[in-house]
Amino acid sequence: MPSLSVIVITRNEAGNIGRCLRSARFADELVVVDSGSTDGTVEMARGLGARVAVAQDWPGFGPQKNRALDMATGDWVLSLDADEEVTPTLQRSILAAMQDGRHDAYSIGRHSSYCGQYMNHSGWYPDRVVRLFRRGRARFSDDLVHERVVIEGPVGRLEGDLLHESMPTLESVLDKMDRYSSAGALALHARGVKGSLGKALGHALWTFLRTYVVRRGFLDGRLGFALAVSNAEGTYYRYLKLWLLQKGIGQGTPAQRPNLMGSTTNTRRVEDGS
């Protein structure tokens, strides 16, 4: 049977890391790269058998995950966020795919929650992401936020879901919205995209309509509407921050910018799209 390494990046994930690592105990190796946790995350991870490295800087989600990938020794790698949990069905599917070896990478569906409710529509499910891949055949992109697995060739699909405790409270929604809109503005600025107040309003309106109408967020009930509003707000603030950044207002110098990882890993984005 091929060996499996599970990699996780963390910062202040004491409330999540136990559930995450316990769900991955079927792996041969658990690797955690921490970014300065102060809540006991490192000690909890080590207590659950993980090999932990503490990074002294924050290079962004993609580079940080590549650090964890470089520590892995298994034939296969499963990348998890600290607020994700492997279901029994997914575990069986992962082990079968590794043994079969038909593809070098596989996508997994995520079932994400918003303020305590798992969302079945709104563009949030099944939200397939490439997470299982043969070591040496894939890397993470260098994106500061919303990184992706870069691999050539066809990608298989696994049965079963990752349970994703994305944003359990409104406070976590607002915190993530602020951090991710800042990161998104910086990424757009680096690509030469121009911002304006009109763009901020237009993109926000389209994001709401896409989440609530096109992606049938109305079927998720009242929280489906709340999610659509959150997505629209995140998009609005991203383009507003981009506009202000280009006017020389806000964001500060790179040395002054906060660790965008905040207190959670790279979870399902609030600002959905445009």
Side-chain angles (χ1 to χ4, degrees):
M1 184 69 186
S3 57
L4 174 66
S5 295
V6 168
I7 61 173
V8 189
I9 64 172
T10 59
R11 184 169 186 261
N12 291 336
E13 290 287 358
N16 291 316
I17 193 63
R19 183 176 63 253
C20 173
L21 294 182
R22 280 191 289 269
S23 77
R25 277 180 168 168
F26 63 96
D28 301 280
E29 177 183 56
L30 302 174
V31 174
V32 172
V33 174
D34 188 75
S35 182
S37 291
T38 58
D39 65 348
T41 296
V42 169
E43 293 75 15
M44 290 182 65
R46 286 177 175 153
L48 289 167
R51 184 155 54 94
V52 181
V54 178
Q56 300 304 314
D57 64 337
W58 172 246
F61 285 102
Q64 189 82 324
K65 288 192 175 184
N66 279 328
R67 286 173 171 173
L69 177 58
D70 290 339
M71 291 176 58
T73 62
D75 300 312
W76 288 79
V77 174
L78 174 64
S79 174
L80 297 178
D81 289 344
D83 56 2
E84 294 173 341
E85 179 181 354
V86 179
T87 60
T89 300
L90 178 58
Q91 174 184 331
R92 292 191 292 270
S93 184
I94 288 170
L95 294 175
M98 288 168 47
Q99 193 161 24
D100 177 71
R102 185 176 307 175
H103 301 287
D104 287 332
Y106 292 86
S107 68
I108 300 172
R110 288 198 300 179
H111 206 176
S112 299
S113 66
Y114 174 88
C115 292
Q117 176 179 315
Y118 281 100
M119 311 304 283
N120 295 319
H121 307 281
S122 305
W124 268 36
Y125 186 74
D127 184 30
R128 299 198 70 88
V129 287
V130 177
R131 291 297 189 83
L132 178 70
F133 52 88
R134 203 185 303 269
R135 188 168 65 88
R137 300 302 300 270
R139 299 283 291 176
F140 292 95
S141 65
D142 289 329
D143 296 307
L144 177 66
V145 67
H146 301 319
E147 77 295 334
R148 67 192 187 284
V149 173
V150 180
I151 187 166
E152 295 183 4
V155 174
R157 296 165 66 95
L158 296 180
E159 298 296 324
D161 295 330
L162 284 173
L163 296 182
H164 184 206
E165 297 296 332
S166 179
M167 288 168 280
T169 64
L170 181 59
E171 288 75 15
S172 64
V173 172
L174 297 175
D175 173 66
K176 195 176 307 298
M177 183 188 304
D178 182 38
R179 291 185 289 107
Y180 276 57
S181 60
S182 294
L186 291 170
L188 291 172
H189 182 65
R191 284 161 36 198
V193 177
K194 299 299 181 182
S196 69
L197 182 58
K199 278 190 174 182
L201 291 168
H203 281 289
L205 177 60
W206 167 238
T207 297
F208 175 84
L209 292 173
R210 180 173 56 188
T211 303
Y212 195 65
V213 179
V214 178
R215 294 175 173 173
R216 300 188 298 170
F218 60 88
L219 294 177
D220 285 317
R222 293 181 178 180
L223 282 178
F225 179 84
L227 173 60
V229 172
S230 295
N231 284 346
E233 284 187 293
T235 300
Y236 170 76
Y237 287 124
R238 175 155 35 106
Y239 280 90
L240 182 65
K241 289 178 180 181
L242 173 63
W243 177 50
L244 294 175
L245 177 63
Q246 290 164 349
K247 290 171 65 68
I249 304 173
Q251 302 298 324
T253 65
Q256 295 171 325
R257 292 168 193 152
N259 181 335
L260 292 172
M261 192 169 186
S263 61
T264 60
T265 48
N266 185 14
T267 55
R268 187 66 169 82
R269 58 183 150 191
V270 179
E271 60 277 26
D272 184 15
S274 15

